[in-house]
Amino acid sequence: VALVLGVVGMLGRQIFDEAIGAEDLNKVHLMEAAIASNATLQGSFTQIERLAYRLLDWGDFRVYRVNGSEASLAYRSSVGRPNRGDPPPDLEPLRREAVESREPVIVRDVRGEDRLGDIMPDVRMLVIHPIRFGDEVLGTLEVEHHKRHAYGPKDLLAMSTLAGQIATAFHISELRRPLVLTVSQIGEQVTSLARVADSLRVSA
């Protein structure tokens, strides 16, 4: 009986793991569809946040865009801990480290980190993940949690997937920008031609 129960338990666990993996893959496909269907970068980020919250729990979720040696906040999640203040400037060295090393900077216990323990009392774990598109680093994905050691290997893998999706959103936005400008210019020219036609009609 014990042997049969053990085999059934192993099969049940395998089926359960495969079901979780299929659900995660489905969420990744949904994120890809969301990125492709949104006309604006903010719209893509909103959809990514909504789907990412099914995979991860966080106190704060931020996306920074890197331009040379400077980083600017591109998106901050609407979901997070209450009374979130501005991100402390002391995170800049860690952000720069993630960009230069092209590897995630993982602080599993913020209180044990001399640079962060006093300035982030509500945060216990911090992950700064670089956002890469090919060989280019476009920015960083920053996720905070109120529990230390909150994120395991599967969570870090999910963050890597999210960073790839965000990089795709950045790239698509850059590709769409000339098209949007062209459409805007064509619209202005059509409006001007309509005004000229109205003037000619009045004159006639």
Side-chain angles (χ1 to χ4, degrees):
V1 173
L3 180 60
V4 172
L5 290 176
V7 172
V8 171
M10 291 179 62
L11 289 175
R13 180 178 179 182
Q14 184 176 359
I15 293 172
F16 187 68
D17 289 341
E18 289 179 357
I20 293 176
E23 178 64 19
D24 291 344
L25 184 60
N26 184 44
K27 292 170 183 175
V28 171
H29 289 323
L30 287 174
M31 277 189 277
E32 291 175 352
I35 292 171
S37 62
N38 279 283
T40 64
L41 185 60
Q42 291 298 317
S44 296
F45 285 157
T46 301
Q47 292 295 326
I48 289 174
E49 177 197 348
R50 183 176 62 83
L51 295 169
Y53 200 61
R54 300 181 186 178
L55 297 172
L56 297 171
D57 181 30
W58 61 69
D60 200 5
F61 179 99
R62 301 184 298 270
V63 177
Y64 276 82
R65 183 70 184 266
V66 173
N67 185 10
S69 60
E70 297 183 356
S72 58
L73 183 63
Y75 182 78
R76 193 174 192 180
S77 65
S78 58
V79 178
R81 65 177 180 275
N83 301 321
R84 288 178 293 171
D86 295 332
D90 300 73
L91 292 179
E92 180 60 31
L94 297 179
R95 193 175 297 123
R96 192 180 309 114
E97 179 183 345
V99 171
E100 293 175 355
S101 67
R102 299 171 180 260
E103 295 293 334
V105 174
I106 304 171
V107 181
R108 299 192 179 275
D109 189 358
V110 171
R111 294 184 183 178
E113 180 70 29
D114 295 336
R115 294 174 290 181
L116 303 176
D118 296 332
I119 63 173
M120 304 180 73
D122 298 327
V123 179
R124 293 301 302 273
M125 184 169 182
L126 170 68
V127 178
I128 301 179
H129 201 293
I131 299 172
R132 296 184 300 172
F133 191 86
D135 295 332
E136 184 182 4
V137 178
L138 303 178
T140 58
L141 168 64
E142 304 179 8
V143 186
E144 300 174 354
H145 202 278
H146 64 280
K147 294 181 180 180
R148 63 190 182 95
H149 302 281
Y151 299 125
K154 288 186 177 180
D155 299 317
L156 296 176
L157 181 60
M159 291 181 197
S160 177
T161 302
L162 290 172
Q165 300 293 345
I166 293 171
T168 302
F170 274 134
H171 189 62
I172 291 176
S173 175
E174 292 298 325
L175 293 176
R176 282 174 175 163
R177 184 177 300 174
L179 296 176
V180 172
L181 291 176
T182 301
V183 170
S184 177
Q185 291 174 357
I186 291 174
E188 292 176 357
Q189 291 174 0
V190 169
T191 303
S192 299
L193 289 174
R195 286 198 298 265
V196 171
D198 291 338
S199 299
L200 292 174
R201 189 181 299 111
V202 171
S203 300

